[in-house]
Amino acid sequence: MLGLHLIPIVIFIVHGCSGGNILVVPVDGSHWINMEVILRELQSRGHQVTVLRSPNSWLKSTRFDLLLTDPAFPTGVILAQYLKLPMIYSVRWINAGEAHGELAPSPPSYIPAYNSLFSDNMNFLQRTLNLLRYLVSILIEEVFIMPVYSELLHRHFPPGADLRSMQHSADIWLMRVDFVFEFPRPTMPNMVYIGGFQCREAKPLPTELEAFMQSSGEQGVVVMSLGTLVSALPKEMTEVIAEAFSRLPQKVVWRYLGHRPSNLANNTLLLEWLPQNDLLGHPKTRVFVAHGGTNGLYEAIYHGVPVLGLPLLFDQFDNLVRLKGRGAARVVDASAVNVEDFVEALRDVLENPSYRDNIQRLSRLHRDKPLSPLDTAVFWIEYVIRNKGAAHLRSAGASLPWYTYHSVDVGIFLLALGVAFLWVLIYACRLCHWSYRTKSKVE
């Protein structure tokens, strides 16, 4: 049996009347929020979905058609190999960086490294720093990440099994990316783009919240949320934000956990939870103050709401760099924010029409597709079920060692040939010269 102490799981089964039998190994937090959208759609189409989530035993004998997983942590990857199942990723991040870099060509000359805060147009110094970040990420993966799983793989898999090859074996990579937001870059045939698949048309708000929105009049409403991971900000920062909001003519809906700021004004409504997608789709919403999480930014793009970014963690900084580069967001430094700067930034995004024009253009581009991102995701999941995999879409390059992939071995071979040819040429020249001198002496 696979080491269950290393992969603690419990099974939640959502039954469908027909269709495929899908095993799901998710990652918690916002990753699960993403995954759940796809699972509900699969369930509505008659597929049986089994989700592995917490400690207990399971039924290994179940005949699954595929495994759907988020490879930010490799539990699902290893389990798919152990059960010999076709595998589909719902993915943006994997191990030491962004998923494209694991599979597709990613030249550091114009592909920004994780948290570099660079665009795809870098000067010489930026390209140098970007290359160093790229090399460090490779070093981290090789030295700190891969060895963690070597004992598990040695115990339960044939000799030579390695995590990287397992990660590359996914049939379809459902990339939570849309190139209206992401910088253009090389891709692969089995990478399918579903960025914004969780977005949907706004539903009516609860009565009291709708009344608050309508009370804003022509000025409209500012919506603020910092996502699922950040429960509270430092007291000094919350009071700065509360004071800035008090100086606005707009109403404010703020998802807030913790002690009520002492300087909170009457124009600001605090909620422990808010229907973010429905608020962003409301005609009274003017600006979204956000931490820069992927889900929130795609919802802002979908509904055409400009963003004031307050990045705090992880990829939020890079995400907002991308949206700022599109002219649809402004970013403030959370570590040095003060009332005057925050008010000025808010008023800029509220009053400068270029922000709204730019993000509404992104919204039109994002929606202009032959198939919605969610329908695209479901199509490819069902495609893999029908065809028992999609090996024909996987590049042979994914299974090559790095020195073969980058033709290092060929380069060394050609260099050796060149050196050998040069040595033979020099030796022949010396031999001819020696022969000529010998002949001259004899004469």
Side-chain angles (χ1 to χ4, degrees):
M1 288 290 291
L2 187 62
L4 297 182
H5 63 289
L6 293 175
I7 309 179
I9 53 179
V10 76
I11 296 181
F12 293 89
I13 301 180
V14 181
H15 289 283
C17 58
S18 62
N21 190 10
I22 302 169
L23 177 62
V24 181
V25 182
V27 171
D28 282 336
S30 59
H31 294 255
W32 167 247
I33 294 172
N34 279 322
M35 186 80 78
E36 189 178 17
V37 174
I38 297 177
L39 301 185
R40 290 188 182 278
E41 185 68 16
L42 289 169
Q43 179 196 2
S44 73
R45 301 191 185 201
H47 298 282
Q48 178 169 298
V49 177
T50 304
V51 182
L52 280 63
R53 295 202 63 190
S54 59
N56 256 327
S57 60
W58 50 289
L59 308 165
K60 182 172 179 285
S61 60
T62 304
R63 295 183 178 275
F64 295 106
D65 296 299
L66 65 84
L67 187 144
L68 174 64
T69 188
D70 184 326
F73 297 105
T75 305
V77 175
I78 297 171
L79 189 59
Q81 294 295 312
Y82 185 75
L83 298 177
K84 296 181 173 56
L85 291 174
M87 179 169 54
I88 293 180
Y89 288 159
S90 170
V91 60
R92 191 178 180 210
W93 301 103
I94 184 168
N95 279 348
E98 206 267 349
H100 278 103
E102 190 73 15
L103 193 65
S106 302
S109 55
Y110 70 98
I111 305 295
Y114 170 66
N115 257 353
S116 67
L117 306 187
F118 298 149
S119 72
D120 56 351
N121 186 12
M122 293 175 269
N123 58 34
F124 178 79
L125 178 59
Q126 289 172 331
R127 285 188 286 113
T128 302
L129 295 174
N130 199 56
L131 176 61
L132 292 175
R133 281 180 173 271
Y134 176 74
L135 295 175
V136 167
S137 70
I138 294 176
L139 182 65
I140 290 172
E141 189 174 23
E142 291 294 332
V143 176
F144 296 103
I145 297 177
M146 293 300 175
V148 171
Y149 301 95
S150 58
E151 181 182 349
L152 177 67
L153 300 184
H154 175 74
R155 185 182 305 168
H156 298 287
F157 291 89
D162 69 285
L163 182 59
R164 179 173 286 104
S165 297
M166 292 180 177
Q167 289 173 331
H168 290 173
S169 68
D171 291 273
I172 297 293
W173 298 48
L174 298 176
M175 300 290 297
R176 302 193 298 267
V177 169
D178 187 327
F179 286 110
V180 303
F181 172 62
E182 184 59 68
F183 296 127
R185 54 170 302 144
T187 184
M188 299 300 284
N190 60 337
M191 285 184 160
V192 177
Y193 294 91
I194 62 167
F197 69 90
Q198 78 280 10
C199 302
R200 63 189 187 280
E201 294 299 327
K203 296 178 182 179
L205 297 174
T207 304
E208 291 184 3
L209 186 54
E210 177 63 30
F212 182 84
M213 299 292 286
Q214 294 299 333
S215 70
S216 66
E218 293 299 318
Q219 297 293 343
V221 176
V222 174
V223 176
M224 178 171 176
S225 175
L226 299 180
T228 57
L229 292 180
V230 178
S231 59
L233 295 172
K235 179 181 178 182
E236 296 78 11
M237 189 182 298
T238 59
E239 292 190 348
V240 164
I241 294 171
E243 176 63 26
F245 285 156
S246 72
R247 300 185 185 183
L248 297 179
Q250 286 77 20
K251 293 292 183 72
V252 179
V253 178
W254 184 0
R255 181 182 181 271
Y256 185 89
L257 299 175
H259 296 292
R260 181 185 178 91
S262 59
N263 55 346
L264 192 73
N266 292 332
N267 70 331
T268 303
L269 174 65
L270 300 184
L271 296 174
E272 292 188 1
W273 176 89
L274 51 77
Q276 181 172 288
N277 181 80
D278 302 330
L279 281 170
L280 292 178
H282 196 283
K284 292 290 186 181
T285 299
R286 300 289 183 263
V287 171
F288 182 33
V289 180
H291 63 315
T294 306
N295 289 347
L297 292 190
Y298 273 115
E299 288 176 353
I301 291 171
Y302 183 84
H303 294 293
V305 179
V307 173
L308 177 61
L310 195 71
L312 302 171
L313 300 166
F314 308 131
D315 60 331
Q316 298 162 10
F317 299 90
D318 281 334
N319 291 341
L320 287 165
V321 163
R322 283 155 174 71
L323 201 59
K324 180 182 177 182
R326 302 289 195 265
R330 180 164 170 177
V331 183
V332 294
D333 182 0
S335 65
V337 67
N338 58 61
V339 174
E340 287 72 25
D341 289 345
F342 200 71
V343 170
E344 187 275 327
L346 272 169
R347 287 176 174 163
D348 182 33
V349 181
L350 284 164
E351 298 169 5
N352 187 337
S354 67
Y355 292 102
R356 181 165 289 273
D357 291 344
N358 287 328
I359 201 159
Q360 289 185 346
R361 177 177 177 272
L362 295 182
S363 180
R364 291 191 297 271
L365 292 172
H366 176 64
R367 291 167 176 254
D368 192 4
K369 293 180 173 67
L371 204 63
S372 75
L374 182 56
D375 286 338
T376 300
V378 173
F379 168 82
W380 283 103
I381 291 170
E382 294 178 337
Y383 179 93
V384 171
I385 292 173
R386 288 194 302 270
N387 296 286
K388 303 187 187 309
H392 62 290
L393 298 179
R394 296 204 301 261
S395 167
S399 60
L400 296 177
W402 67 269
Y403 54 85
T404 305
Y405 181 88
H406 294 286
S407 296
V408 174
D409 51 349
V410 175
I412 292 173
F413 173 71
L414 293 177
L415 180 63
L417 281 181
V419 170
F421 175 78
L422 186 61
W423 184 85
V424 169
L425 185 63
I426 293 173
Y427 180 80
C429 289
R430 285 181 176 178
L431 187 63
C432 290
H433 180 67
W434 177 82
S435 177
Y436 176 78
R437 289 184 61 186
T438 304
K439 184 178 178 182
S440 297
K441 288 180 179 180
V442 170
E443 292 177 351

